Amino acid sequence: KRTAPLVAAHNGKTRHKAEAEANGLFGMLRADLDNAKGQTPESIADALREQGLCSFIIYSTLSHQPDAPRYRVFVELAEPVPFTMWADLQFALAELLGSDPCVGRPAQFMILPTVIKSTAEHYQHMIAEGAALSPSAPFWLNAAALAEQYQAATAKVSQRFKQAAPK
């Protein structure tokens, strides 16, 4: 793992959160499926395709075992986006696939597909080369709507706390 190549969702040159959020443009979404019992690359791909996500990579990790499956997923964006839009899309993908929330950290790097002698027997992958996720796609529009609903609900709760606070 220490020598495996890494990839970030953004084009920044550092692993600093503030730098990624302020200046990074994000070109992919990702999922970290460490507890993928009952899932396969095919079932994950089906879930992605049902949402109109057609350009992706699914691969098993170095820790993947048949009785304890672990996968990573990368979904291509048609165009790089700033952090705020990426965060909404990333949250929606993580919810869809039941991903570890670490994928929402903008500066999080992930190990690229890697096969070593001890894992080669169980390695799995799938590549889908369809259309990249674009702003007109239903998944994108739904993610933006979900983010608006969440922000409105958060603002409402915040307002209630302010009204209930002792003066």
Side-chain angles (χ1 to χ4, degrees):
K1 284 185 176 181
R2 274 183 268 183
T3 60
L6 302 173
V7 64
H10 60 83
N11 65 348
K13 304 251 186 288
T14 72
R15 293 181 80 162
H16 298 286
K17 176 184 175 204
E19 177 70 21
E21 289 179 4
N23 302 316
L25 289 175
F26 294 76
M28 72 172 170
L29 306 177
R30 61 262 173 98
D32 183 339
L33 308 175
D34 283 339
N35 185 13
K37 271 239 189 269
Q39 293 180 296
T40 64
E42 292 77 15
S43 67
I44 297 165
D46 288 345
L48 294 169
R49 288 184 180 118
E50 284 176 16
Q51 296 297 314
L53 303 172
C54 301
S55 180
F56 54 83
I57 297 170
I58 303 166
Y59 62 96
S60 57
T61 70
L62 289 171
S63 302
H64 172 87
Q65 292 295 317
D67 60 337
R70 298 174 69 147
Y71 300 102
R72 299 296 178 265
V73 180
F74 297 139
V75 174
E76 180 187 15
L77 300 180
E79 57 191 53
V81 297
F83 169 73
T84 52
M85 184 72 248
W86 174 82
D88 294 345
L89 294 166
Q90 183 58 62
F91 178 78
L93 181 69
E95 286 289 304
L96 171 69
L97 297 178
S99 176
D100 183 315
C102 73
V103 295
R105 295 183 205 139
Q108 178 84 22
F109 279 60
M110 296 182 82
I111 297 173
L112 285 170
T114 304
V115 179
I116 57 176
K117 189 176 184 180
S118 63
T119 64
E121 179 182 349
H122 303 295
Y123 182 74
Q124 299 176 321
H125 73 281
M126 177 181 283
I127 300 172
E129 297 184 44
L133 179 59
S134 70
S136 62
F139 181 86
W140 191 300
L141 298 172
N142 292 339
L146 181 65
E148 284 179 29
Q149 291 170 0
Y150 175 78
Q151 290 164 359
T154 301
K156 201 180 270 188
V157 169
S158 178
Q159 183 64 24
R160 285 185 185 150
F161 275 117
K162 286 180 186 175
Q163 290 172 345
K167 296 181 184 182

